[in-house]
Amino acid sequence: SRGLGDVYKRQTQKYSLKYQINNSKYWFLKKLNEMQEKSENQYKELRKSIQEVHKKFTKEIGQWNAM
């Protein structure tokens, strides 16, 4: 028969592994969220740049047509 020390040791190892897995899931989800936010910000910046170029181009076309 095993002593209480062995039982306690197994419980501690079990908890430690569960804690590591939960930490890994948290870290992974946090990184995934950060990547998603970065991607959304890059999309917004790109869209803004495209709109600015479009405005400038439209303005220049208007000036050419006025000549």
Side-chain angles (χ1 to χ4, degrees):
S1 116
R2 295 185 177 177
L4 288 177
D6 289 338
V7 173
Y8 175 74
K9 189 176 181 181
R10 282 195 313 269
Q11 287 175 344
T12 304
Q13 289 171 345
K14 205 180 214 182
Y15 173 77
S16 178
L17 180 60
K18 203 181 265 190
Y19 178 76
Q20 289 173 0
I21 290 171
N22 286 339
N23 261 357
S24 296
K25 286 180 186 177
Y26 172 77
W27 179 86
F28 176 76
L29 292 174
K30 182 179 173 190
K31 289 296 177 186
L32 190 60
N33 189 43
E34 289 172 3
M35 289 170 48
Q36 184 178 6
E37 287 175 359
K38 185 177 180 180
S39 177
E40 288 172 0
N41 288 338
Q42 287 175 339
Y43 171 76
K44 288 175 185 176
E45 289 176 19
L46 180 60
R47 185 174 171 98
K48 184 178 176 182
S49 296
I50 290 171
Q51 288 173 343
E52 289 172 1
V53 169
H54 182 264
K55 283 181 187 179
K56 185 177 179 181
F57 179 74
T58 304
K59 185 178 179 181
E60 289 179 10
I61 293 291
Q63 290 175 352
W64 291 343
N65 288 337
M67 292 181 177

